Every structure is written in structure tokens, then in C-alpha cells.
């Protein structure tokens, strides 16, 4: 299907290089930074999750997620509702929900700027394709 291979890999790199600087700019002066947004989104969408769950979902090294979660907890953005220190049940605080919502709106604006020249039908097709690619990629991911 792809001419020389690597097309999706390059697509991913190009979209990240478009999105990250814009997201960083949108988050200036906020309580969070761009690298924390995927973690906030995962916790928001999966309340009670653990750092290991986040690692599996966003394919980031466990030590990075552990440090990120600790920092978010220390800043009052995330809280741990577990009964012991060996497990985590992560939830967003009120501040975390505010930051999450702000970041999600910023991402929506950035996504819209990427698809501004697409018709509604092309956007719908693109979303369906992204969901299908994500499903297949998740089947093969192992942490």
C-alpha cells in the first residue's frame, strides 16, 4: 500500500512536529506542559488508572510516566486514591480537570488547523482510518 515504507512513521513525526510547538505555545503560563497532556487525557478518560496503564496506552517508558505522575501529584493536578503505596488509582483534581479541558480545546484548535482544507466527508473518512490504524497498532503493542 505504501510506496517505500515508513510513510506512517514519517506522517507521525511530521504531525508531532506541527502540533507540539503549537501546543507548547498554547500552554504558556499554564500549570502543565505539552509532554504531560497525553497523561492527563488518559487519566481523564480512564479514572482510577495506574501508571502502568498509561505506559501501555501511550507507549512511553515506565520511568518517564512515574516521574510525570509524581510531578503532577506534587503540583495538585492528579491525586492517588489507592489505599497503599504499591498501587495507584489516579484521578484528576479540580485543577487537573481545568488544565485537561484547556489542553483538549487547544488540541482541537490545532487539529482543526491541520484539517482546514478537508471536506466534511474527508474528515469523517480520516477519523475512521485513524481509529482503524489505532486498533491494529494496539493489538501489537507490548510494553
Amino acid at each position: 500500500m505504501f510506496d517505500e515504507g515508513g510513510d506512517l512513521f514519517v506522517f507521525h513525526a511530521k504531525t508531532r512536529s506541527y502540533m507540539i510547538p503549537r501546543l507548547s505555545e498554547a500552554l504558556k503560563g499554564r500549570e502543565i506542559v505539552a509532554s504531560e497532556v497525553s497523561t492527563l487525557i488518559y487519566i481523564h478518560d480512564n479514572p482510577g488508572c495506574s501508571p502502568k496503564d498509561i505506559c501501555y496506552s501511550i507507549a512511553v517508558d515506565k520511568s518517564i510516566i512515574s516521574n510525570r505522575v509524581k510531578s503532577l501529584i506534587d503540583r495538585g493536578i492528579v491525586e492517588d486514591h489507592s489505599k497503599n503505596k504499591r498501587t495507584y488509582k489516579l484521578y484528576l483534581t479540580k485543577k487537573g480537570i481545568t488544565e485537561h479541558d484547556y489542553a483538549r480545546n487547544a488540541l482541537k484548535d490545532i487539529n482543526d488547523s491541520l484539517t482546514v482544507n478537508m471536506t466534511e466527508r474527508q474528515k469523517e473518512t480520516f477519523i475512521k482510518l485513524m481509529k482503524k490504524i489505532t486498533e491494529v497498532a494496539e493489538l501489537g503493542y507490548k510494553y
Side-chain angles (χ1 to χ4, degrees), residues 2-96:
F2 298 104
D3 293 338
E4 298 178 34
D7 294 341
L8 284 174
F9 191 75
V10 171
F11 174 76
H12 173 73
K14 286 182 180 183
T15 54
R16 282 187 59 81
S17 69
Y18 180 88
M19 295 178 80
I20 296 299
R22 286 161 178 78
L23 182 57
S24 294
E25 183 65 29
L27 296 176
K28 274 192 176 165
R30 303 293 304 185
E31 296 280 336
I32 58 170
V33 295
S35 61
E36 297 169 330
V37 171
S38 57
T39 301
L40 285 185
I41 290 172
Y42 189 84
I43 295 169
H44 176 271
D45 294 353
N46 301 278
C49 65
S50 71
K52 187 174 183 180
D53 298 330
I54 299 167
C55 292
Y56 282 125
S57 175
I58 64 174
V60 174
D61 185 72
K62 188 177 177 187
S63 64
I64 292 170
I65 294 298
S66 294
N67 290 334
R68 190 175 293 165
V69 166
K70 182 182 180 330
S71 175
L72 290 167
I73 290 171
D74 291 346
R75 289 182 283 145
I77 295 169
V78 170
E79 55 192 7
D80 177 15
H81 289 193
S82 67
K83 302 292 182 203
N84 64 59
K85 294 298 176 191
R86 293 190 55 105
T87 61
Y88 285 87
K89 291 184 180 187
L90 302 173
Y91 294 85
L92 296 182
T93 63
K94 191 174 270 191
K95 185 194 304 189

Side-chain angles (χ1 to χ4, degrees), residues 119-133:
T119 65
E120 286 307 309
R121 184 172 174 164
Q122 288 171 327
K123 289 177 186 178
E124 289 171 12
T125 301
F126 181 67
I127 290 167
K128 287 178 186 175
L129 291 169
M130 292 295 293
K131 286 181 180 178
K132 190 61 166 174
I133 290 168

